[in-house]
Amino acid sequence: FFRHTMTMSQDTMVEDQPPMERLQFRQFVPQHKRFINQNREYSQQFSHLYYTRLAEIQLELSEVCRAKWNATGEPVKRILDIEPGQPCICVGTLYKEMALKPNFLVDYLQNVAGGGDNVDDDDDDDKGSTNGEAIMDRGQVTYQSKGDQLILEDESGRMTLEGAALPPQLVTGVIIGVKGVWQRDANFVVEDICVCGLPPQKVSIKSCVRPDTGPSYLALVSGLNVGSTKLNPLALQLALDFISGNIGDGDVAARVCRVVVAGDTIFATEDLKSRDKIQLHAVDSASSTLVDPMKEADLYLAELCGTCPVDIMPGDSDPSNCFLPQQPIHPCLLPHTSKCTSANFTTNPYQAAINGMTVLGTSGQNVQDVSKYASFDKALDILESMLQWRNVAPTAPDTLAVYPYLDHDPFNLMACPHLLFVGNQPSFDTKLVRGPAGQSCRIVCVPAFSETPSIVLVDMNSEDLSTVTVNISTLDGL
């Protein structure tokens, strides 16, 4: 990739220019409707989500295991059918027993039901800390400890896993295959593990791109956090001016066909997130701390929508439901933006087909949650693992709030996307992941704009991308 650095100076200003003729994508088809909850029924158990997640890829993973371990024709056994001392292959769903992981049942008894005094303290060592005693590891919150155990479950039973072959980059909810031996009156000793790998890709990226026609950009931005002291309003205005073609390279701006705002547009404190109701016509200071940034964000987004089509995703701090999939922000909360025909309120996760290529992305809650329960060097590694696991929210519903689906798991990847992005990350990062069957997926970490004022430009006519970084350091003293 290459990087543009944009600075505010007389050289970048474009005065008295004619209206910019903006390029359009050859094809754009929104595909986020599969994340829309039509029937909101909450009486079912979350166990159905685990069963369907396993059922959807169990047969294919069994074949992948046989191929990897040269076990053609060998049966993949259910857990209850495993014989002691006999090497075998088994496929199931992982559960990670963690002593430091928050125990929500105990927390409920202590803080809501007032029954904390009746909780047996001896159980805390096995079932987890009452408050989730997180520790800091390389600046990141983590609940990992040396006593963590991996348990494999299928439709018949469960067993505890052990062995050096188990990597620390595994979390609850991942579907894996294991090869090893069950020792009587002990655990299952794992010799090797296997995951499904990248799902099949229906259309190759080479058949979609047209590099001879020039760049056609999808702009990705996240974490505006309007209302936060970390956001520099001048940096945000410069970014809007760049996309509109008023500053910077007008030829590049004219080729920005669409913008995706990947969540956390509005800053909200933890106190506001915990409030049951917020009055839109604020009469108290607590409500005004959210309403005022919402009005400001509405004006910014309306200005952006006046230049090009914009897809607006909800994030962790935005006024939407807290569990995944987050439903679109209600238009009444952004009245000026909702009047723009180019404004599209979408779900989180986001999905669309652009020029024949599938684009899938989230606002970051899924990656942030995985980082608390497994050892990864960076967020990009988590994204790549999600492709290999074939699920973009594996820790749901264990530690990531999610709707209790009954007959399917919408987070399973049944087809490989061409672009997978995650918003609200500390910094920009990208990698091109290729699969054994010719799959090709560009994974991108989009930085939070309030922390790193950058816009990611993905060229949908090639496999390239660039960033536009707003640099206002030269404006000191002006």
Side-chain angles (χ1 to χ4, degrees):
F1 66 93
F2 59 94
R3 179 180 295 271
H4 296 291
T5 300
M6 180 179 67
T7 58
M8 180 67 170
S9 66
Q10 291 182 351
D11 295 335
T12 59
M13 297 299 295
V14 181
E15 298 180 357
D16 300 327
Q17 66 173 0
M20 182 177 61
E21 184 177 351
R22 188 173 297 277
L23 191 68
Q24 295 182 353
F25 287 130
R26 301 190 310 271
Q27 176 207 39
F28 177 83
V29 180
Q31 297 179 336
H32 65 273
K33 288 187 176 180
R34 72 188 186 98
F35 297 115
I36 296 289
N37 291 335
Q38 300 292 349
N39 300 316
R40 301 183 181 181
E41 175 61 47
Y42 299 93
S43 60
Q44 60 267 32
Q45 296 292 320
F46 285 104
S47 58
H48 296 289
L49 185 61
Y50 285 122
Y51 292 148
T52 55
R53 178 182 302 175
L54 176 61
E56 286 176 352
I57 66 174
Q58 187 174 21
L59 293 178
E60 186 171 358
L61 178 54
S62 297
E63 293 302 321
V64 173
C65 291
R66 292 189 182 100
K68 178 179 180 179
W69 295 318
N70 297 319
T72 303
E74 182 176 332
V76 175
K77 294 190 175 182
R78 300 189 313 157
I79 290 177
L80 287 184
D81 296 333
I82 296 177
E83 299 178 4
Q86 297 295 322
C88 67
I89 299 173
C90 186
V91 171
T93 307
L94 277 181
Y95 175 75
K96 197 168 188 177
E97 185 73 39
M98 309 180 72
L100 299 183
K101 186 173 71 173
N103 190 318
F104 297 104
L105 178 59
V106 174
D107 188 60
Y108 170 79
L109 292 174
Q110 286 186 328
N111 299 323
V112 180
D117 294 338
N118 297 325
V119 178
D120 188 356
D121 294 334
D122 294 337
D123 292 339
D124 292 344
D125 295 335
D126 299 326
K127 297 183 179 181
S129 166
T130 57
N131 297 316
E133 297 174 359
I135 58 177
M136 298 299 294
D137 180 21
R138 293 171 294 180
Q140 298 292 327
V141 176
T142 179
Y143 293 102
Q144 299 178 84
S145 64
K146 294 182 179 180
D148 296 345
Q149 286 188 324
L150 287 172
I151 298 171
L152 191 70
E153 299 181 352
D154 65 7
E155 66 277 8
S156 68
R158 60 182 350 213
M159 61 183 179
T160 301
L161 307 178
E162 66 176 42
L166 295 171
Q169 296 85 15
L170 291 173
V171 293
T172 295
V174 174
I175 309 298
I176 69 167
V178 294
K179 177 185 178 182
V181 178
W182 177 47
Q183 300 176 344
R184 186 184 296 274
D185 300 328
N187 300 329
F188 187 90
V189 180
V190 178
E191 300 174 2
D192 197 5
I193 68 168
C194 180
V195 295
C196 254
L198 270 65
Q201 200 165 50
K202 298 179 181 179
V203 180
S204 68
I205 192 171
K206 292 183 178 180
S207 64
C208 300
V209 300
R210 296 181 183 178
D212 55 319
T213 62
S216 178
Y217 292 120
L218 173 69
L220 303 175
V221 64
S222 70
L224 301 182
N225 286 305
V226 177
S228 169
T229 56
K230 295 182 179 180
L231 174 66
N232 190 315
L234 179 57
L236 180 55
Q237 187 59 53
L238 287 175
L240 294 175
D241 289 340
F242 168 77
I243 294 176
S244 63
N246 294 328
I247 63 174
D249 192 336
D251 293 335
V252 174
R255 291 184 172 275
V256 176
C257 304
R258 199 173 195 92
V259 177
V260 176
V261 182
D264 284 7
T265 303
I266 302 164
F267 177 75
T269 63
E270 293 300 322
D271 175 64
L272 281 172
K273 292 179 184 179
S274 63
R275 291 169 68 95
D276 294 331
K277 295 181 180 180
I278 296 292
Q279 296 185 9
L280 294 182
H281 301 285
V283 295
D284 58 7
S285 59
S287 296
S288 64
T289 56
L290 177 62
V291 174
D292 292 344
M294 195 182 303
K295 292 179 179 179
E296 187 178 353
D298 186 23
L299 296 178
Y300 280 124
L301 292 175
E303 181 180 348
L304 180 60
C305 292
T307 65
C308 66
V310 180
D311 296 327
I312 304 168
M313 299 169 57
D316 181 58
S317 64
D318 294 320
S320 178
N321 56 296
C322 65
F323 53 82
L324 295 182
Q326 284 186 286
Q327 301 304 286
I329 298 175
H330 199 284
C332 75
L333 300 176
L334 301 171
H336 293 90
T337 304
S338 61
K339 293 178 182 178
C340 302
T341 57
S342 58
N344 300 279
F345 297 95
T346 70
T347 60
N348 172 33
Y350 169 93
Q351 184 167 326
I354 301 177
N355 292 352
M357 292 182 284
T358 301
V359 178
L360 178 66
T362 71
S363 296
Q365 297 99 315
N366 57 334
V367 171
Q368 182 180 3
D369 195 64
V370 168
S371 68
K372 298 176 183 178
Y373 302 100
S375 297
F376 286 92
D377 292 332
K378 52 185 179 179
L380 202 68
D381 296 335
I382 298 178
L383 269 187
E384 184 175 0
S385 294
M386 288 178 175
L387 280 176
Q388 302 289 345
W389 298 335
R390 297 196 183 184
N391 194 286
V392 293
T395 55
D398 182 49
T399 54
L400 184 64
V402 66
Y403 178 80
Y405 287 93
L406 184 63
D407 55 1
H408 73 291
D409 182 359
F411 307 110
N412 267 353
L413 293 175
M414 307 311 294
C416 184
H418 300 87
L419 172 64
L420 177 63
F421 69 86
V422 58
N424 301 291
Q425 298 305 300
S427 60
F428 165 77
D429 205 354
T430 184
K431 180 180 181 181
L432 188 61
V433 181
R434 300 188 184 276
Q439 307 99 314
S440 178
C441 180
R442 166 72 68 178
I443 56 177
V444 181
C445 290
V446 183
F449 191 88
S450 60
E451 301 280 352
T452 306
S454 297
I455 304 172
V456 179
L457 301 181
V458 182
D459 183 9
M460 304 304 290
N461 274 339
S462 71
E463 294 183 341
D464 299 327
L465 57 79
S466 60
T467 62
V468 176
T469 301
V470 183
N471 185 359
I472 61 173
S473 59
T474 59
L475 294 178
D476 294 339
L478 292 183

